Amino acid sequence: MITLYHCPESRSQRSLWMLEELGLKFDLVELAFSQKVLRGPEYLALHPLGRVPCLVDGDVTLMESGAITQYLCERYDDGALHRGPGHPERWQWLQWVHYAETMAVHGASMVQQTVIIAEPDRSPVVQKLESRRLDKALGVVDQTLEGRDWLLPSGFSAADVSVGYSVHLAQKFVPLDGHPRVVDYYRRINERPAFKRSLGSRPDARKMRA
Ligand SMILES: N[C@@H](CCC(=O)N[C@@H](CS)C(=O)NCC(=O)O)C(=O)O
């Protein structure tokens, strides 16, 4: 049985969305986004940094969202989401699966600057810098989407799950209007049933609280 440890709207949403796209059966554990829970002994035994996601599948425990994406593709995908070794789009697939983190680090910094850090310690300079870098990163996605609906010419793949989550995070801090193809891309993402199921807190999840 697969178990995903997840905080709603965090990077573990990528893994949850992947599981939903693949139609796999899994057990979902939702953790409160608090130091008490994430750094509590029960969760630290699974993830030494106390972060999400963490995915357990039998004797396999994985704790990087990009690695979880690749693992799920290699183990469970029939070719719909994966572009494996030898596929002509392999290099593009790999690039976008990991480019997603280039975007997410700026989004995570904006979460720190606007939610986690107490107001007097927030930095307008960091916020300006991070939102500009996020906007630049969105510009690269916009260019790539010229003449196509998804990042790869062959259509939707796990690259869109990876980058799609980062766009979902980015639009909370940076207006997408300057990137019209990203606006349409994000609309298409929101139409996917698997993405819809990855949003917010889920009543069917087991809750891990302090
Ligand atoms: N590169 C890692 C980043 C994991 C990460 O930092 N997750 C954040 C949530 S988006 C987290 O758990 N933060 C809690 C904390 O740092 O206390 C991945 O993609 O899985």
Side-chain angles (χ1 to χ4, degrees):
M1 181 58 142
I2 297 174
T3 303
L4 176 66
Y5 293 82
H6 168 60
C7 290
E9 300 293 316
S10 77
R11 281 172 177 101
S12 53
Q13 189 181 343
R14 276 186 194 134
S15 312
L16 178 54
W17 182 7
M18 279 294 298
L19 291 166
E20 291 288 358
E21 289 282 352
L22 290 167
L24 294 171
K25 275 188 91 141
F26 60 94
D27 186 23
L28 185 63
V29 180
E30 262 183 31
L31 292 89
F33 196 75
S34 81
Q35 299 286 301
K36 262 195 178 161
V37 177
L38 289 167
R39 307 291 192 275
E42 188 186 351
Y43 189 58
L44 279 180
L46 281 169
H47 190 311
L49 293 178
R51 298 191 189 177
V52 287
C54 180
L55 181 124
V56 180
D57 184 12
D59 57 2
V60 173
T61 301
L62 280 166
M63 58 174 186
E64 272 291 332
S65 62
I68 292 170
T69 297
Q70 285 196 246
Y71 170 80
L72 290 174
C73 281
E74 285 168 23
R75 181 129 188 210
Y76 295 107
D77 185 51
D78 59 6
L81 302 180
H82 197 198
R83 305 293 186 271
H87 191 286
E89 290 176 338
R90 172 66 171 173
W91 61 275
Q92 289 156 291
W93 186 86
L94 280 172
Q95 179 188 266
W96 291 115
V97 165
H98 297 287
Y99 182 86
E101 268 304 277
T102 291
M103 297 180 71
V105 288
H106 302 308
S109 179
M110 290 302 286
V111 172
Q112 286 179 348
Q113 283 293 325
T114 57
V115 182
I116 296 174
I117 297 174
E119 200 138 5
D121 298 324
R122 294 176 189 170
S123 161
V125 175
V126 172
Q127 287 181 38
K128 196 170 162 190
L129 181 73
E130 292 292 1
S131 48
R132 215 157 45 200
R133 299 185 102 188
L134 197 45
D135 191 62
K136 287 254 181 232
L138 283 166
V140 174
V141 176
D142 194 74
Q143 280 166 23
T144 305
L145 290 169
E146 185 170 357
R148 59 177 91 145
D149 283 354
W150 304 106
L151 289 166
L152 303 184
S154 62
F156 186 82
S157 74
D160 297 296
V161 174
S162 304
V163 171
Y165 164 73
S166 299
V167 171
H168 175 63
L169 177 63
Q171 54 84 39
K172 296 177 184 178
F173 304 106
V174 172
L176 298 183
D177 325 5
H179 309 291
R181 297 177 198 105
V182 176
V183 171
D184 289 344
Y185 179 65
Y186 188 51
R187 183 185 38 75
R188 283 190 285 277
I189 284 169
N190 274 280
E191 287 165 359
R192 294 191 77 83
F195 176 75
K196 288 183 193 163
R197 286 195 293 275
S198 75
L199 290 166
S201 176
R202 295 195 4 174
D204 59 333
R206 224 163 10 107
K207 313 285 178 204
M208 197 189 267
R209 295 199 175 96

